[in-house]
Amino acid sequence: MYSQEIMQRGEGPIVLKRRQSLLIGTVGEGSVMGLRKKDLLGLEHVETDEISLILDTAASMKEIIGRQIKKVPTLRGKTVVNVFYEPSTRTRTSFELAAKYLSADSVNISASTSSVVKGESLKDTSATIAALGADVVVLRHPMAGAPGLVANTVKAAVINAGDGAHEHPTQALLDMFTVRERKGGLEDLKVAIVGDILHSRVARSDIWGFTKMGARVSVCGPSTMLPPGLEKMGANVLENMEDALLGADVIIMLRIQLERQQQGLFPSVREYARLFGLNREKLALARPGALVMHPGPMNRGVEISPEVADGTHSVINEQVTNGLAVRMALLYLLAGGGTQ
Ligand code: CP
């Protein structure tokens, strides 16, 4: 049985209550017992029952993170390779720790210190990693679609850790997990996503994920940063931040990607901060108890004021902790036998 199989050690077995219920069929009639695909490339094509399964599994994984000895033998003998072609603090570290806590072997490859600098293609790098016996490849890449390309060429499970301006599914899953934990559910919550929607893979994954789970999502930013097609994804598009914040249960502030601003998408950082930065006065428009989120890294004083980032509404550090639980869940589900 899953709850016995997954991890017995130290301070006692983890009991995956909801998942166990799924297995014995007491709740969630018709729910999945594993993910349908070998890879997690985005949330666009992931079903709601799969999202629930990941979040439920992450809830059990969070228990391990709270233990004094944060290690279980679940993925002993499995190998996780983290391949990052772009900088990362949160995603890479949490995938590495997630693998360690589950007793998998993990290796990190940075483009800058690998044979990529000698001109090796992504396909050849992937084939090399596969030949070395990886069970899971976690890939961050500046090109949208790169994880999909790798997934088609290797037998290992591929997890998209952010590809260009396409998707960042594990970030959206940890965002949903954080909101669900704090609010008790996602259905009918009003979620405002504010900032540089154009460049944001986080925004795309959050829109897919939150709308699938029944939340009402508004996106807001300068008109130059609102790409076409957002309504088709299920989002309500607003150019005025006050309109987006009014009655919001959750506010997700996005990083202004200053490294991608050569096109001059807004007149000045100061004006951007005035119109689209979250401060205490604007936060007062949201519902009492609204959650303030940010995927990080933050530009303090630009998209978010320090007093809001560190204030009582902020769950930004919780997001980071929950990211570890969500990534443990994904490694388990994709490498530990959780596929149908
Ligand atoms: N949110 C996020 O992806 O952060 P990192 O770039 O630090 O991984």
Side-chain angles (χ1 to χ4, degrees):
M1 192 124 152
Y2 181 96
S3 58
Q4 287 163 348
E5 160 219 321
I6 184 166
M7 38 198 112
Q8 306 232 10
R9 95 183 284 276
E11 295 160 38
I14 297 284
V15 180
L16 294 174
K17 296 187 189 78
R18 293 175 66 98
R19 175 139 168 99
Q20 191 175 28
S21 301
L22 287 177
L23 279 177
I24 59 175
T26 54
V27 295
E29 204 54 47
S31 295
V32 280
M33 291 188 290
L35 301 180
R36 295 189 175 90
K37 303 218 168 92
K38 87 169 172 70
D39 313 292
L40 179 73
L41 302 177
L43 293 189
E44 181 177 359
H45 303 294
V46 175
E47 306 290 334
T48 53
D49 54 3
E50 294 176 287
I51 293 174
S52 295
L53 172 66
I54 295 165
L55 302 185
D56 291 346
T57 309
S60 298
M61 296 297 175
K62 197 166 174 183
E63 239 182 288
I64 300 171
I65 300 167
R67 288 180 178 186
Q68 216 163 17
I69 297 167
K70 306 172 179 61
K71 207 161 179 85
V72 290
T74 314
L75 294 187
R76 200 159 44 198
K78 302 284 183 182
T79 303
V80 177
V81 181
N82 299 310
V83 190
F84 278 67
Y85 284 71
E86 282 185 345
S88 167
T89 300
R90 282 147 282 267
T91 312
R92 186 161 82 168
T93 310
S94 57
F95 266 116
E96 193 178 350
L97 283 174
K100 287 187 196 311
Y101 290 177
L102 293 172
S103 298
D105 294 311
S106 67
V107 181
N108 292 322
I109 299 176
S110 298
S112 60
T113 55
S114 71
S115 289
V116 169
V117 291
K118 299 178 201 161
E120 187 167 61
S121 71
L122 175 62
K123 220 169 154 188
D124 287 342
T125 301
S126 312
T128 304
I129 292 164
L132 290 169
D135 296 289
V136 181
V137 176
V138 177
L139 178 65
R140 171 169 289 189
H141 199 281
M143 301 303 295
L149 177 89
V150 174
N152 288 337
T153 57
V154 300
K155 232 171 71 188
V158 176
I159 301 178
N160 179 3
D163 62 331
H166 174 225
E167 282 219 44
H168 192 349
T170 64
Q171 178 68 46
L173 287 163
L174 75 88
D175 289 348
M176 287 188 275
F177 181 88
T178 304
V179 173
R180 195 181 80 156
E181 194 175 58
R182 280 293 196 122
K183 297 285 181 192
L186 300 170
E187 187 98 30
D188 284 333
L189 290 182
K190 192 174 170 194
V191 178
I193 305 175
V194 182
D196 182 358
I197 311 292
L198 178 67
H199 295 112
S200 180
R201 52 199 179 205
V202 174
R204 272 170 198 76
S205 289
D206 272 337
I207 294 170
W208 289 125
F210 277 101
T211 55
K212 277 172 198 261
M213 299 308 280
R216 291 170 289 140
V217 176
S218 295
V219 292
C220 173
S223 56
T224 49
M225 292 180 159
L226 293 170
L230 294 165
E231 286 98 344
K232 278 198 188 140
M233 294 172 71
N236 179 31
V237 181
L238 300 165
E239 287 183 31
N240 182 297
M241 187 171 173
E242 281 74 10
D243 292 342
L245 296 189
L246 204 61
D249 299 287
V250 178
I251 304 167
I252 301 175
M253 297 305 300
L254 299 174
R255 182 173 76 89
I256 273 293
Q257 302 189 24
L258 293 165
E259 71 275 19
R260 300 192 220 256
Q261 294 310 321
Q262 296 89 345
Q263 309 100 310
L265 295 172
F266 55 86
S268 72
V269 169
R270 201 163 146 190
E271 184 177 297
Y272 182 88
R274 186 170 59 79
L275 293 174
F276 296 102
L278 183 64
N279 56 23
R280 228 174 14 194
E281 291 70 41
K282 286 190 203 145
L283 177 57
L285 295 167
R287 287 183 69 161
L291 304 179
V292 172
M293 307 177 76
H294 193 303
M298 289 183 273
N299 298 300
R300 285 170 178 264
V302 182
E303 68 263 7
I304 190 164
S305 72
E307 62 184 2
V308 172
D310 301 327
T312 53
H313 293 258
S314 171
V315 291
I316 294 168
N317 289 332
E318 268 175 60
Q319 287 175 268
V320 178
T321 307
N322 292 336
L324 184 46
V326 162
R327 285 161 184 139
M328 286 171 76
L330 287 166
L331 292 181
Y332 169 74
L333 290 168
L334 292 173
T339 42
Q340 286 188 327

